[in-house]
Amino acid sequence: MGYRPLALGAIALLTFQVCFAQQPSLNLVTFEAPPYQISREGTDIRGETVNTVTCAAKAAGWTTNITMVPQKRAIYSLKRNMADGYFAADPSAELDAIARQSYPVALEKWYFFTLDASPKLSKDRIGVVDGSNEEAWLKANDYNIYLSVTSPKQLLALLERGRINAALMDERVMQDLNTDSGTPAIDSLHSHFLRYAPLHLYLGDVFQVTYPNFLSAFNEALPTCMGKNLQLSERELTHIEVLTRRLLAELRGLLNLQQALKAGPKPSTLAEVLSIDSKWQALAPKAELPLASHILNLPASQTLKNWQGSYQGLITEVMLVDSMGAIAAMSQVTSDYWQGDESKFLEVAGSESTTEPRDRDFLFVSPIRYDQSTTRFQITVSAPLFADGAKTPNGVIVLGLDIEEAMGI
């Protein structure tokens, strides 16, 4: 073997070692909030949001160095450029002035917990954790805070002793307290949904200027990294199913869904559907095919559009899908014509993986999805449609719902 191959091999090995040694590390601060961020013995920091942030940073080519500090100190560290970023923070004017936020890295579900089944929250003595996202939100929205304490466990104790009438905290944090304490009094508490709180990674301006491409790569990886964290809880699923059945019963009173299916376009083959879909996607959302305009002008689509509009933000879209997965009617232009490869269709109409026939009352509720264009969280709920006497569905009705609006009903 000559010297040249050996030299090239040595250079390649040295380059790999240098690149590996110089892999950039993101210095982040966060705060204790089980099960999202948990510190064990001071240095072992883990939890759902920690996993999400670490995963997305890794996808962007970075390692992470995470330090746990109180929330006020975390903001101070970001302001003084002592940290590259801070998570998981609720958006605020204070943070927006000094840093840039990522897409959501976590979705908290905030509830008022009370001893009274029908509290008067505008007058009640509200307790909250000092320096928390909840405290900042309450202040920004003109709630009267009676007490700020250092931990959720203290809030629970004050609530049980009657020192406060209401405690605001995340649902999962309360569940964690219940697991740890096993206090019977928790079972007597009443919960009142307030809002979904999308929490973000905030990156300091200095970091952004130095590494302008990091945030886009980080954001792109987030949906995959969040994974199961956007599943609905059993309580949420029950609420959504009850609400959806009421909405569908109302819609069926306004529109004959079987007639609407028959009045829609009738592509003859799946190949034709896929050909239309490729052209449809190439134009959406800025332009539309003549077929899309035709579908929008159908009487059924006009009914769906007007019905959606009557709910002022709760319903985000409605579509009627035929047995091949193609759009038969819609309240607005969809991003694609063929829905046949998506869970909202497959889980309802059936596929090779769903061998059991769906009954007429079956509902499929999707995980929560973050809509970047509206900065809102949404779900889809789909139900099968059956012709008279049929045992298999000949279509699917799909409702898009704003999950925060839905849970507030």
Side-chain angles (χ1 to χ4, degrees):
M1 180 183 294
Y3 291 109
R4 178 177 171 80
L6 288 173
L8 290 174
I11 292 171
L13 178 61
L14 179 61
T15 301
F16 172 79
Q17 291 174 335
V18 169
C19 289
F20 183 81
Q22 292 180 347
Q23 186 176 13
S25 180
L26 193 63
N27 293 311
L28 303 175
V29 287
T30 189
F31 55 94
E32 186 89 16
Y36 303 99
Q37 299 102 239
I38 310 164
S39 177
R40 296 286 186 253
E41 300 178 357
T43 56
D44 182 17
I45 298 173
R46 59 182 65 182
E48 291 179 8
T49 309
V50 173
N51 294 340
T52 295
V53 169
T54 301
C55 169
K58 183 179 179 180
W62 288 63
T63 61
T64 54
N65 177 37
I66 301 173
T67 304
M68 195 82 78
V69 296
Q71 284 175 279
K72 288 183 178 179
R73 192 185 306 171
I75 296 174
Y76 176 84
S77 298
L78 189 62
K79 282 183 176 179
R80 300 289 181 178
N81 294 314
M82 298 163 62
D84 297 323
Y86 161 47
F87 74 94
D90 200 29
S92 70
E94 179 183 18
L95 286 170
D96 287 336
I98 61 169
R100 186 176 173 190
Q101 65 176 246
S102 70
Y103 293 159
V105 298
L107 180 62
E108 290 190 341
K109 302 160 187 180
W110 292 1
Y111 284 78
F112 281 111
F113 294 93
T114 67
L115 293 172
D116 189 347
S118 302
K120 299 179 176 61
L121 294 171
S122 60
K123 298 180 180 179
D124 277 346
R125 292 169 296 167
I126 297 174
V128 71
V129 173
D130 185 40
S132 65
N133 293 317
E134 291 91 331
E135 182 187 50
W137 189 91
L138 288 173
K139 288 179 178 178
N141 288 274
D142 299 322
Y143 280 81
N144 292 318
I145 298 174
Y146 182 73
L147 279 176
S148 295
V149 297
T150 57
S151 72
K153 187 175 290 188
Q154 285 181 293
L155 271 186
L156 181 59
L158 291 171
L159 188 60
E160 292 172 347
R161 293 201 297 266
R163 291 283 308 280
I164 56 176
N165 302 108
L168 179 61
M169 68 179 78
D170 172 64
E171 179 186 41
R172 295 284 301 280
V173 173
M174 175 60 83
Q175 290 172 352
D176 192 70
L177 287 176
N178 192 14
T179 301
D180 287 346
S181 66
T183 305
I186 289 182
D187 296 332
S188 64
L189 294 178
H190 299 274
S191 57
H192 313 271
F193 177 78
L194 176 64
R195 66 181 291 245
Y196 282 88
L199 305 183
H200 304 261
L201 165 66
Y202 269 92
L203 291 169
D205 287 338
V206 171
F207 180 88
Q208 272 293 111
V209 171
T210 309
Y211 304 100
N213 298 323
F214 172 82
L215 189 55
S216 60
F218 181 88
N219 285 339
E220 185 176 350
L222 278 175
T224 300
C225 290
M226 290 186 78
K228 294 181 180 179
N229 297 348
L230 293 179
Q231 297 287 344
L232 292 175
S233 67
E234 287 299 321
R235 183 204 326 226
E236 291 168 322
L237 279 172
T238 299
H239 181 87
I240 292 301
E241 287 175 0
V242 171
L243 173 61
T244 301
R245 294 190 194 284
R246 177 171 65 79
L247 290 171
L248 289 177
E250 180 183 302
L251 180 57
R252 287 189 174 100
L254 297 172
L255 179 64
N256 186 316
L257 299 179
Q258 286 298 322
Q259 287 184 3
L261 275 176
K262 292 177 182 177
K266 296 178 177 60
S268 56
T269 64
L270 181 58
E272 182 184 351
V273 171
L274 296 178
S275 176
I276 294 170
D277 184 59
S278 63
K279 298 171 185 175
W280 184 297
Q281 289 190 49
L283 293 176
K286 294 181 180 179
E288 57 194 49
L289 289 176
L291 177 62
S293 300
H294 169 73
I295 295 174
L296 278 176
N297 288 322
L298 291 172
S301 293
Q302 292 298 307
T303 299
L304 295 179
K305 178 181 178 181
N306 293 335
W307 183 65
Q308 175 182 329
S310 70
Y311 276 93
Q312 300 179 344
L314 167 64
I315 301 172
T316 58
E317 65 176 346
V318 194
M319 67 179 78
L320 197 58
V321 183
D322 69 18
S323 58
M324 281 199 293
I327 298 291
M330 57 189 179
S331 62
Q332 60 199 40
V333 177
T334 58
S335 58
D336 44 14
Y337 174 62
W338 187 54
Q339 311 293 316
D341 60 342
E342 299 186 22
S343 296
K344 61 177 175 258
F345 178 84
L346 293 173
E347 293 291 337
V348 175
S351 66
E352 292 180 359
S353 62
T354 55
T355 55
E356 296 183 6
R358 298 308 190 190
D359 62 48
R360 292 173 181 264
D361 294 327
F362 179 78
L363 290 178
F364 171 72
V365 183
S366 75
I368 301 170
R369 177 179 62 85
Y370 179 65
D371 188 319
Q372 300 170 11
S373 62
T374 62
T375 67
R376 304 290 290 178
F377 288 91
Q378 301 183 24
I379 60 170
T380 59
V381 188
S382 45
L385 300 175
F386 292 82
D388 291 340
K391 294 183 178 180
T392 57
N394 67 338
V396 174
I397 180 73
V398 181
L399 302 184
L401 299 176
D402 182 299
I403 185 61
E404 188 167 7
E405 294 283 341
M407 287 302 298
I409 293 176

